[in-house]
Each structure stands twice: as C-alpha cells, then as structure tokens.
C-alpha cells in the first residue's frame, strides 16, 4: 500500500480544498436507494451472502476513484492510498454489541471473498476484540438491517479532519416490483464534490447491474 502525496499548490482543487477545509469546513451526506432487484435474485439463485457482495461492490467502486481514498498522513499532508480496505461492523445478537473487522481488498472477487470468509471465521463469534489495525487505508461501512431510512447523518466531533467516506446500509424494501436498498454516504467537501459522489453512486449501480447479469 502506497500513500501518494498531493502537491496542494499545483492541485486543480486547491481553491475548493482550502475553502471547505479552512474557510468553511464542510462535510455532507447523501442518502439514496440502490436498485438491487436483480442482484437479490442472483444472490438467492446462486446461494450467496448479500452483505459481502455489497461490501465488495463498494470496495471495488471506492478503489476506482482516488477522491474516495484520500486522507491526511501523520504530518497532515494530503494524499490518497493506492488502495483502501473496507472496515465494517459485526453484530453479536447475544450481547447486542458489535466488533470492527476489516478485510483486505483484492480486485479479484473470489480472492476477496476468501479473505472475507477467513475474517468471519476468526471474528464473527469473538465478542471481545476487533481485528487489529495494521494501516490507515480504510473506509468504514455500517449496516442497519433492521430499519429502512430516507436520511442518515453522522455527527463527528473531529470530522472536519476526516476524509475517508463512511457508508451506512439500511434494510432493503419493496417498492412496487423493485427492491431498493437505502445507502447513506458521508464525505468531506474538501476532497469530494457532488459530481464525484454522484459518479460514485452511478458506478456502484452499474456494478450491481453487471454482477446481477
């Protein structure tokens, strides 16, 4: 994993970066509904697990867009990771608590699924410890499978220095003949505009449609 530093002085986003980081610190979130009608059909037909497939789809899309892999290093230099790994929560119904687990990203779907299965084997029933962090190239995914929602927002005390995206998945629901999945995405405006977020959403939907086929 490589952290690629950005020269702010020559960066074409310097003005926007300075404005939304210093003058008007700004994070924002968007909640959308993904069409997973065909994906659910494929998951059931192939007897797959829905969450790790969505996890891979998000990781695949994150790793195709540098603005979703941006961060500050220990010296507060802006840059982007060569790749980012998904970090997600594993809920324990027995104790109503959760642990954090991250899975090494691999562009190869089968390899990623093997990595995910290995992590689940180790941590799914471990109520006391999360998977130790070995690097900061992470983006976070939470899942709230008990409720659908039309809006979701996180309030981070130190969020104005936090650049990785945060994803929250809700309970999918039926809308006529379609099955829709609520997804909230929180980003930092200094590194991600509405254009970038919309492109990410469209690309994720394209991946879902392609996987379903």
């Amino acid at each position: 994993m490589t952290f690629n530093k950005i020269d702010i002085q020559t960066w074409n986003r310097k003005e926007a970066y300075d404005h939304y980081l210093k003058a008007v610190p700004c994070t924002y979130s968007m909640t959308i509904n993904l069409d997973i009608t065909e994906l659910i059909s494929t998951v059931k037909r192939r007897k797959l697990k829905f969450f790790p497939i969505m996890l891979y789809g998000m990781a695949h899309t994150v790793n195709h867009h540098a603005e979703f892999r941006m961060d500050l290093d220990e010296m507060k230099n802006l840059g982007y990771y060569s790749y980012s790994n998904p970090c997600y929560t594993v809920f324990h119904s027995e104790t109503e608590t959760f642990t954090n687990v991250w899975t090494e990203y691999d562009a190869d779907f089968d390899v990623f699924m093997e990595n995910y299965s290995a992590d689940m084997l180790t941590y799914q029933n471990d109520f006391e410890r999360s998977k130790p962090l070995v690097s900061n190239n992470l983006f976070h995914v939470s899942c709230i499978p008990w409720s659908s929602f039309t809006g979701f927002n996180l309030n981070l005390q130190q969020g104005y220095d936090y650049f990785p995206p945060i994803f929250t998945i809700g309970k999918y629901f039926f809308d006529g003949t379609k099955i829709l999945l609520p997804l909230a995405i929180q980003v930092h405006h200094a590194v991600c505009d509405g254009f970038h977020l919309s492109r990410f959403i469209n690309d994720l939907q394209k991946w879902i449609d392609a996987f379903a086929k």
Side-chain angles (χ1 to χ4, degrees), residues 55-166:
L55 195 66
Y56 173 83
M58 287 187 286
H60 171 84
T61 311
V62 162
N63 281 292
H64 274 75
H65 298 293
E67 59 270 11
F68 283 82
R69 305 194 306 275
M70 289 194 178
D71 204 354
L72 298 172
D73 66 10
E74 63 279 0
M75 300 300 293
K76 298 298 182 180
N77 296 304
L78 177 68
Y80 61 93
Y81 300 110
S82 54
Y83 70 95
S84 292
N85 300 314
C87 181
Y88 49 96
T89 53
V90 177
F91 182 70
H92 308 297
S93 58
E94 297 88 342
T95 58
E96 298 183 353
T97 60
F98 65 88
T99 53
N100 289 306
V101 179
W102 60 273
T103 291
E104 184 78 16
Y105 174 72
D106 195 289
D108 187 303
F109 174 78
D110 292 329
V111 173
F112 177 83
M113 294 301 286
E114 290 176 1
N115 294 343
Y116 174 85
S117 296
D119 288 328
M120 286 297 95
L121 186 64
T122 302
Y123 295 100
Q124 189 170 26
N125 295 315
D126 192 330
F127 298 174
E128 297 182 358
R129 60 181 180 136
S130 297
K131 184 176 179 179
L133 298 178
V134 296
S135 63
N136 294 322
N137 60 323
L138 301 173
F139 67 93
H140 290 269
V141 180
S142 293
C143 187
I144 307 176
W146 310 278
S147 299
S148 298
F149 50 75
T150 56
F152 187 93
N153 185 66
L154 292 168
N155 301 296
L156 305 178
Q157 184 178 14
Q158 299 178 347
Y160 296 128
D161 289 328
Y162 187 83
F163 291 155
I166 303 174

